């Protein structure tokens, strides 16, 4: 996809949407709208920062698209501290969606019951805390130890090394973005689920943009 002009993709999706609209296929139009929004955000990797609202909305778009495939097997529960204005909080791009994707790809594999993801955003002593919990199969203790010690490229069962690489990348980008002033914690119990907790400084997107203009 990196070799495809994004504008071409969006133009094609617009044409398909217009065709579906003329045919009265309202559900298809809605699906295409979500796909277009998700792609636009995912391909917009030139942006150094976004808002926490952008990140949360991207997760919601991603879950909508996954539910097209999984239906009622997948549930998202979103809880945001009402005192927070997520559109005013600066946050690095494409942090939350890959974690949620890990839940679906790894934690919910072969589950006999619906997969549930709880995404919570709250304020803790003037910091932002984001918690993503799933009710999936959990991470084996040895693999969890590997993840928490930044191990990379070590073979593991079932292709789980991809999980380690993905979470390592997120952790490294968070530490670089917040200059080490960040907490990234993974907790897990077999057949009880996994919780990823991110705690970062609270940054105003408006203050950061004003500093860039100076």
């Amino acid at each position: 996809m990196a070799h495809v002009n994004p504008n071409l993709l969006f133009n094609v999706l617009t044409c398909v949407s217009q065709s579906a609209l003329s045919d009265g296929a309202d559900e298809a139009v809605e699906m295409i709208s979500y796909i277009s929004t998700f792609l636009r955000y995912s391909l917009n990797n030139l942006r150094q920062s976004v808002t926490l609202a952008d990140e949360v909305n991207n997760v919601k778009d991603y879950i909508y698209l996954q539910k097209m495939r999984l239906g009622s097997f997948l549930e998202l529960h979103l809880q945001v501290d009402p005192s927070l204005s997520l559109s005013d909080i600066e946050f690095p791009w494409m942090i939350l969606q890959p974690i949620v994707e890990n839940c679906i790809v790894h934690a919910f594999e072969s589950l006999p019951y619906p997969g549930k993801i709880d995404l919570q955003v709250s304020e803790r002593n003037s910091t932002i805390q984001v918690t993503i919990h799933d009710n999936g199969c959990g991470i084996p203790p040895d693999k969890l130890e590997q993840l928490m010690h930044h191990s990379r490229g070590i073979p593991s069962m079932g292709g789980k090394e991809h999980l380690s690489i993905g979470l390592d990348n997120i952790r490294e980008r968070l530490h670089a973005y917040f200059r080490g002033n960040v907490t990234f914690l993974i907790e897990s119990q077999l057949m009880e689920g996994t919780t990823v907790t991110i705690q970062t400084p609270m940054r105003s997107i408006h203050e950061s943009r004003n500093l860039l203009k100076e």
Side-chain angles (χ1 to χ4, degrees), residues 99-110:
I99 298 174
V100 171
E101 183 173 357
N102 271 328
C103 298
I104 297 173
V105 173
H106 298 287
F108 296 160
E109 184 177 3
S110 302

Side-chain angles (χ1 to χ4, degrees), residues 7 35 60 73 113-114 119 149 156 200:
N7 289 327
I35 293 171
K60 291 164 66 176
F73 182 80
Y113 46 82
L119 172 56
H149 284 82
S156 58
T200 73

Side-chain angles (χ1 to χ4, degrees), residues 123-130 174 178 181-185 197-201:
E123 181 181 357
R124 293 287 187 276
N125 299 321
S126 298
T127 67
I128 292 297
Q129 181 168 301
V130 180
L174 281 167
F178 292 105
N181 190 17
V182 63
T183 298
F184 186 86
L185 180 65
T197 303
I198 301 171
Q199 192 166 354
T200 73

Side-chain angles (χ1 to χ4, degrees), residues 127-146:
T127 67
I128 292 297
Q129 181 168 301
V130 180
T131 303
I132 299 174
H133 172 77
D134 68 66
N135 67 335
C137 59
I139 304 173
D142 58 336
K143 182 61 181 178
L144 183 61
E145 181 77 8
Q146 176 184 330

Side-chain angles (χ1 to χ4, degrees), residues 70-103:
L70 300 173
S72 60
F73 182 80
L74 175 63
E75 299 178 17
L76 172 68
H77 300 278
L78 176 62
Q79 183 177 352
V80 178
D81 188 332
S83 68
L84 292 175
S85 176
L86 300 190
S87 59
D88 293 330
I89 300 172
E90 180 184 354
F91 207 77
W93 170 82
M94 287 297 284
I95 293 292
L96 303 186
Q97 182 271 327
I99 298 174
V100 171
E101 183 173 357
N102 271 328
C103 298

